[in-house]
Amino acid sequence: MQRSTLLALLALLLASLGFAAPASAERIKDMGQFQGLRANQLTGYGIVVGLAGTGDDSLDYSTLGMKGAVSRFGLTLPAGVNPALKNAAAVMITAELPPFAKPGQRLDVTVSAIGKSKSLRGGTLVLAPLYGADGQIYAMVQGNLVIGGLGIDSADGSKLTVNVPSSGRIAGGATIERAVDTGFATGDWLTFNLHQFDATNAKRVTDAINLAIPGSASMIDGASIAIRSAGNGDTRMRLMSQIENLGVQRAEPPAKVIVNARTGTVVINGAVRVGTAAVTQGKLSVSIKESPMVVQPAPFSRGETAVEQSSEIEVKEDYRPVMLVKPTASLSELVDAINRMGVPPGDLVAILEALSQAGALTAELVII
């Protein structure tokens, strides 16, 4: 009996410890990233062959690309010969080289037509290099395309297109030939950059790191934290792993109301507060009804048939009482107040702008 009671108390203690942990705590790795650990964009130009008559036909740069491809195998086309390449297409190749990628590893690539090709379905990309921003070759790519779209043309000119058949992917189609030196294993400091500038979050991340590793971190500014780290790559990676998994309670974001003027979408974050204000929203409708009448002259008279205009104008204004908006303490209360007003998105934007001008909206109004 005593043992069961002890186990129950232990379970209750563990549960209370679990509830005591902050519910909104986030890992540091979800709030930013270490400087230098970024992907590098690669681009290239190539030729896709094996298409079922959906290629570029006689496009000049497609023809030149094919001449360059076949010249590597000792085949030279005679001067003045311009082949109609209906089964080939010129394409642009893009990929991302992740940090610490090593030669021999594989990359996924995206292949997109840049000419008149209607579909790349069934095509094969001929061996092509991928270049970095410095003009150096970092990968070679070749393989069969996987197309998620479909395009069909009929003899009467009707067309059916599903998704985008002029773009596809090659999973693991590129082989890395050169690694990017990040300089990670050298230096005495690591820099952690937050995704968004916030002095409070920077302070909390710095405090969390110093609590785990005393005296190792200091704020550079509201978005960057410098962390002392000496030693080789193994020591630095272990330090990064420890820091990334530390928990930090994220600060409440700045109050913002985001308005998309093109779609009428309004997004309000949880930090928005509204002060006391009286709001009314009227609707004025003007309708004009035209009822033309044909007037005939008397028999055997010299008059002419005429059209007499008859217009009815009606003006209607909906009565909507003034609504008192009380200070809200949460996003749900603000949403309830907006719903009670029953206004469409377009009028809601006008009300929010007016509240901001009146100083009753404690938030930054951002219109995109």
Side-chain angles (χ1 to χ4, degrees):
M1 186 66 182
Q2 293 180 352
R3 181 179 181 183
S4 61
T5 304
L6 181 61
L7 291 176
L9 291 175
L10 181 60
L12 182 61
L13 177 61
L14 291 176
S16 64
L17 289 176
F19 284 113
S24 59
E26 299 184 20
R27 298 176 302 177
I28 289 180
K29 68 190 307 181
D30 299 324
M31 301 176 63
Q33 64 182 19
F34 284 93
Q35 183 172 299
L37 306 186
R38 65 176 184 86
N40 292 274
Q41 287 71 37
L42 304 179
T43 56
Y45 169 85
I47 298 293
V48 172
V49 298
L51 304 178
T54 59
D56 287 331
D57 198 1
S58 59
L59 200 61
D60 289 341
Y61 48 81
S62 177
T63 303
L64 293 174
M66 181 55 66
K67 288 181 178 180
V70 299
S71 66
R72 290 182 293 185
F73 304 102
L75 177 61
T76 303
L77 296 179
V81 175
N82 189 18
L85 302 174
K86 291 186 178 181
N87 294 338
V91 295
M92 185 63 68
I93 312 164
T94 58
E96 280 196 354
L97 185 66
F100 304 118
K102 299 299 186 294
Q105 293 180 337
R106 312 286 292 186
L107 294 176
D108 296 342
V109 298
T110 300
V111 180
S112 306
I114 59 176
K116 298 184 294 182
S117 177
K118 299 178 181 178
S119 175
L120 300 179
R121 179 174 291 275
T124 300
L125 178 66
V126 181
L127 184 67
L130 294 179
Y131 297 88
D134 57 358
Q136 300 294 323
I137 296 176
Y138 285 89
M140 300 294 294
V141 58
Q142 179 175 278
N144 299 323
L145 275 72
V146 176
I147 307 297
L150 175 66
I152 301 175
D153 295 347
S154 60
D156 62 354
S158 58
K159 299 180 180 181
L160 173 63
T161 303
V162 179
N163 296 332
V164 184
S166 57
S167 179
R169 289 180 64 83
I170 305 177
T175 303
I176 299 174
E177 302 293 337
R178 182 197 300 265
V180 176
D181 184 14
T182 61
F184 171 77
T186 59
D188 296 330
W189 294 88
L190 292 173
T191 302
F192 184 83
N193 296 322
L194 298 176
H195 292 315
Q196 295 178 338
F197 172 86
D198 193 300
T200 304
N201 283 331
K203 176 183 177 299
R204 292 183 179 182
V205 170
T206 304
D207 292 344
I209 296 174
N210 285 328
L211 183 61
I213 311 168
S216 62
S218 60
M219 287 191 294
I220 300 176
D221 49 39
S224 300
I225 298 99
I227 305 165
R228 187 183 302 277
S229 173
N232 54 17
D234 179 78
T235 303
R236 297 165 75 88
M237 286 303 299
R238 290 180 183 275
L239 177 62
M240 286 177 54
S241 176
Q242 180 182 359
I243 292 173
E244 285 182 341
N245 291 282
L246 295 176
V248 174
Q249 188 171 1
R250 185 188 291 268
E252 188 176 17
K256 285 187 179 182
V257 177
I258 311 298
V259 178
N260 191 321
R262 297 182 297 274
T263 63
T265 304
V266 180
V267 178
I268 306 172
N269 71 2
V272 174
R273 300 291 183 268
V274 177
T276 304
V279 179
T280 182
Q281 187 261 343
K283 183 178 181 181
L284 181 68
S285 301
V286 179
S287 60
I288 301 175
K289 182 180 179 181
E290 298 286 352
S291 302
M293 300 177 61
V294 178
V295 180
Q296 297 287 355
F300 306 106
S301 66
R302 296 178 178 271
E304 298 180 354
T305 302
V307 178
E308 181 179 339
Q309 299 292 338
S310 176
S311 303
E312 296 181 7
I313 301 177
E314 180 182 0
V315 179
K316 181 181 179 181
E317 184 174 6
D318 294 343
Y319 171 73
R320 296 188 179 182
V322 178
M323 176 171 287
L324 178 63
V325 180
K326 298 181 180 180
T328 60
S330 66
L331 177 60
S332 61
E333 295 177 1
L334 175 59
V335 171
D336 291 341
I338 292 173
N339 290 335
R340 286 196 301 270
M341 295 177 66
V343 296
D347 294 338
L348 174 60
V349 173
I351 291 175
L352 291 174
E353 290 179 342
L355 287 173
S356 178
Q357 292 294 326
L361 182 66
T362 308
E364 178 186 359
L365 189 61
V366 180
I367 301 178
I368 59 176

